[in-house]
Amino acid sequence: MSTTIEQFADLSATTLLRFATAGSVDDGKSTLVGRLLHDSKSVLTDQLEAVEAASAKRGQDAPDLALLTDGLRAEREQGITIDVAYRYFATPRRRFILADTPGHVQYTRNMVTGASTADLALVLVDARNGVVEQTRRHAAVAALLRVPHVVLAVNKMDLVGYEEAVFAAIAEEFTTYAAELGVPEITAIPISALAGDNVVEPSAHMDWYGGPTVLEHLETVPVSHDLTGCHARLPVQYVIRPQTAEHPDYRGYAGQIAAGTFRVGESVTVLPSGRTSTISGIDLLGESVDVAWTPQSVTLLLDDDVDISRGDLIVPSGDAPATTQDVEATVCHVADQPLAVGHRVLLKHGTRTVKAIVKDIPSRLTLDDLSLHPHPGQLVANDIGRVKIRTAEPLPLDSYADSRRTGAFILIDPADGTTLTAGMVGESFASPEPVKTDTDHDGWDF
């Protein structure tokens, strides 16, 4: 029996979760990740032995689980996280891709990288310090990137006597702030990463909390990939024209479906040219199929010999985005050299790269209080701001709010190919909505 689109959507939602961690310096983020990996039996024996040996060399009685994630020498020497580290682990209920991101303000760009594909952001705070400026920055970045689920892990509860009132005050402050940014779902969990409270196993010290542990929430949080409701998009990666005796007239357009579904017999439009045709066939892994969906890599066959090349976008004729040469977006500048008005750049959107010029930088966002600094003239590393860009050729752009894949782009230095800026088309933050809460658990749910 073949798998339906709905069954595939349910399968993907329950088997894979991409999540990113973020926290201020010394909030215990690396320890939390290490505890999560250790207690879920996701650490190899030789890795644990290496951590135990390194911890003993430092004179520590117990293994320092933070060493499981801080892999760079500079990270270990300074006791901080510098680069994004990806970890892959699994439980019987779900597979995970974890992006462990730095907490320092000068590494904001690293968090943007790690959270750009995340379904969930896990934000840590130190129970002794509560919500600080960097906590608000992390909430703002998660909101900018439209991460659908945010978990607030209030760590080091053992150092505040596991007091319910301390947790409640922090959770309330963070939830109110994140809700104002438009974060749709927030869950607060009191933990002690060092002792293991509420990370994988429930805490024996906080009987006033009746919600899930961190791992339980990660295993059960609904991650909806509505494959049938998305705007269908296929960025063309390659034109296949074998011109062999077996396939003398074969012309296919190959790429990975960025969103939605395509069906044989469907009318499609090729952008930016605007030419239309009908899907006559879909090839998937050497077999002909009637329907294909994201994230499958396929080859589309069309009824007409349409002029299509790499960089074009194939979309349903009744659901085509507008093409434009004037791009307004929120960007995070990731390069060390500034981005200034008048700079000539390359803009890469999907599989298409075009020349462009920065026409204006209307504002720079101050993440501490979400205030706008008007017309700063330039953006430096880790800055987030609004830009207006004029491209040499029209581009079919979705709003980032509608599609995190086809609403995103990067700016590239034409001189050396360095990535300069990551961009999100459209408005910065979502409109504030009532925050979803889980009422199935007793205790604190935010």
Side-chain angles (χ1 to χ4, degrees):
M1 182 176 67
S2 62
T3 302
T4 66
I5 296 174
E6 291 77 11
Q7 289 171 331
F8 182 86
D10 291 340
L11 181 65
S12 65
T14 55
T15 58
L16 176 64
L17 174 74
R18 298 174 182 268
F19 71 101
T21 62
S24 301
V25 179
D26 295 329
D27 276 355
K29 181 172 55 61
S30 294
T31 302
L32 170 62
V33 174
R35 172 65 65 183
L36 190 62
L37 296 173
H38 178 271
D39 289 6
S40 63
K41 307 297 190 293
S42 301
V43 180
L44 298 176
T45 302
D46 59 341
Q47 291 177 313
L48 185 58
E49 290 175 350
V51 168
E52 290 173 342
S55 301
K57 188 176 180 180
R58 293 181 174 185
Q60 296 171 303
D61 296 331
D64 183 357
L65 297 179
L67 298 178
L68 287 170
T69 56
D70 289 335
L72 297 178
R73 178 179 296 178
E75 293 178 324
R76 297 191 178 208
E77 290 174 348
Q78 299 178 49
I80 62 173
T81 301
I82 296 174
D83 200 6
V84 179
Y86 291 92
R87 297 289 181 267
Y88 307 87
F89 69 102
T91 68
R93 304 175 72 175
R94 179 169 275 177
R95 293 179 293 116
F96 302 95
I97 299 177
L98 183 161
D100 185 25
T101 67
H104 286 61
V105 63
Q106 63 263 40
Y107 301 129
T108 299
R109 56 188 175 183
N110 301 64
M111 184 191 173
V112 170
T113 300
S116 61
T117 58
D119 305 304
L120 180 146
L122 180 60
V123 179
L124 259 74
V125 301
D126 187 325
R128 299 169 300 175
N129 302 326
V131 176
V132 296
E133 287 186 3
Q134 191 67 345
T135 310
R136 288 189 282 270
R137 289 190 189 99
H138 292 148
V141 170
L144 281 170
L145 294 171
R146 310 283 172 146
V147 180
H149 306 278
V150 172
V151 172
L152 173 70
V154 182
N155 192 23
K156 303 188 181 182
M157 287 296 296
D158 53 314
L159 300 183
V160 295
Y162 297 102
E163 288 292 334
E164 177 182 5
V166 174
F167 167 73
I170 295 172
E172 181 65 28
E173 180 181 355
F174 180 87
T175 301
T176 300
Y177 180 79
E180 291 175 352
L181 297 175
V183 176
E185 183 175 284
I186 305 159
T187 301
I189 305 175
I191 68 169
S192 171
L194 187 63
D197 292 286
N198 283 339
V199 179
V200 172
E201 300 296 334
S203 172
H205 302 97
M206 292 179 279
D207 54 4
W208 46 264
Y209 172 75
T213 65
V214 172
L215 182 61
E216 181 183 355
H217 183 73
L218 294 177
E219 288 181 323
T220 58
V221 63
V223 181
S224 176
H225 301 112
D226 186 0
L227 304 179
T228 59
C230 299
H231 303 288
R233 305 288 188 259
L234 176 71
V236 176
Q237 183 80 18
Y238 189 70
V239 178
I240 299 177
R241 187 80 192 278
Q243 293 181 300
T244 61
E246 185 181 358
H247 302 287
D249 300 317
Y250 188 99
R251 184 193 297 268
Y253 309 101
Q256 183 183 44
I257 300 176
T261 63
F262 288 92
R263 293 177 171 82
V264 172
E266 182 178 16
S267 175
V268 293
T269 298
V270 181
L271 298 174
S273 69
R275 297 182 178 88
T276 61
S277 187
T278 302
I279 299 176
S280 60
I282 302 175
D283 288 347
L284 172 66
L285 298 175
E287 301 290 337
S288 295
V289 297
D290 293 328
V291 60
W293 53 83
T294 181
Q296 293 175 332
S297 294
V298 300
T299 301
L300 297 188
L301 309 177
L302 303 182
D303 280 342
D304 307 287
D305 288 333
V306 181
D307 182 13
I308 301 176
S309 59
R310 174 183 168 86
D312 288 343
L313 186 69
I314 299 178
V315 303
S317 294
D319 186 24
T323 59
T324 182
Q325 289 180 259
D326 296 300
V327 182
E328 294 190 29
T330 301
V331 301
C332 177
H333 191 59
V334 301
D336 291 328
Q337 63 267 38
L339 180 76
V341 174
H343 275 186
R344 298 185 181 275
V345 296
L346 297 177
L347 188 152
K348 186 178 188 301
H349 172 254
T351 57
R352 190 177 189 85
T353 302
V354 300
K355 295 179 179 180
I357 184 171
V358 179
K359 300 295 289 185
D360 190 18
I361 302 179
S363 61
R364 184 182 70 239
L365 179 66
T366 302
L367 290 179
D368 302 345
D369 56 6
L370 302 183
S371 63
L372 297 177
H373 178 77
H375 299 287
Q378 67 177 17
L379 299 176
V380 299
N382 298 302
D383 275 352
I384 293 175
R386 297 285 295 173
V387 300
K388 293 183 178 180
I389 302 166
R390 175 75 175 178
T391 60
E393 304 170 31
L395 292 173
L397 298 172
D398 286 302
S399 167
Y400 188 79
D402 295 331
S403 173
R404 294 172 76 190
R405 288 284 301 276
T406 54
F409 63 88
I410 60 173
L411 299 182
I412 300 171
D413 188 334
D416 58 12
T418 301
T419 299
L420 300 173
T421 309
M424 297 152 279
V425 179
E427 294 299 322
S428 301
F429 294 103
S431 299
E433 296 180 359
V435 178
K436 295 181 182 179
T437 59
D438 186 351
T439 56
D440 294 337
H441 299 288
D442 294 328
W444 291 101
D445 294 298
F446 292 89

